[in-house]
Amino acid sequence: MPEDELSRSSHSNPGKNLVNGIKTNPASSSPKSSLSVPMRPPVYVDLAYIPNHCSGKNTDPEFFKRVRASYYVVSGNDAANGEPSRAVLDALLEGKSQWGENLQVTLIPTHDTEVTREWYQQTHEKQQELNIMVLASSSTVVMQDESFPACKIEF
């Protein structure tokens, strides 16, 4: 392929061959192959929303190794679709265990689900070891005859 065609084709689909925002090798049989993903320094943020309602479809330990947040929001509330995913919550533990620094992390579930409750109880010791706090909210906001749980975060 001539260089100008190659250049045009790479610009026509900028999201092609990306896994968690990282360019992968299109010839690779596995998009998550560690050989195809260049090593880059992690990104530090205050707040990160776990993609796709905490579904295991596109969030893995690599996400938590690369996106290091003080607060992660878990919004899944659809057990039939695996949201939130226990595998993603476990991936947080695995990813955080490889940070090499014991920064405080707060997990903010937006819904009280069986998955998050079981994960919290079964991994509580590991959470404490990794300096992960799960924020439980007892606050409720009432707006126009609708009420929902609320959480206040201050930076």
Side-chain angles (χ1 to χ4, degrees), residues 46-151:
D46 289 329
L47 179 72
Y49 177 87
I50 298 177
N52 203 25
H53 304 287
C54 198
S55 166
K57 295 175 187 169
N58 61 359
T59 304
D60 60 10
E62 201 62 35
F63 172 81
F64 295 104
K65 290 178 199 172
R66 294 170 185 244
V67 179
R68 300 180 181 186
S70 297
Y71 299 88
Y72 290 101
V73 177
V74 176
S75 71
N77 190 27
D78 186 356
N81 284 319
E83 299 168 4
S85 166
R86 169 68 188 251
V88 173
L89 297 171
D90 289 340
L92 167 63
L93 297 175
E94 183 181 336
K96 173 99 170 48
S97 71
Q98 296 182 30
W99 286 13
E101 50 197 332
N102 198 17
L103 301 174
Q104 170 73 45
V105 167
T106 303
L107 190 67
I108 306 167
T110 60
H111 296 88
D112 180 22
T113 67
E114 187 69 28
V115 171
T116 53
R117 269 184 268 129
E118 284 180 6
W119 176 82
Y120 176 79
Q121 292 170 352
Q122 294 170 359
T123 65
H124 187 70
E125 201 171 293
K126 183 74 170 173
Q127 294 166 40
Q128 289 181 319
E129 176 186 313
L130 293 172
N131 204 15
I132 297 173
M133 180 178 73
V134 178
L135 191 62
S137 175
S138 59
S139 299
T140 303
V141 173
V142 179
M143 294 179 63
Q144 299 175 350
D145 300 325
E146 183 180 353
S147 66
F148 48 90
C151 178

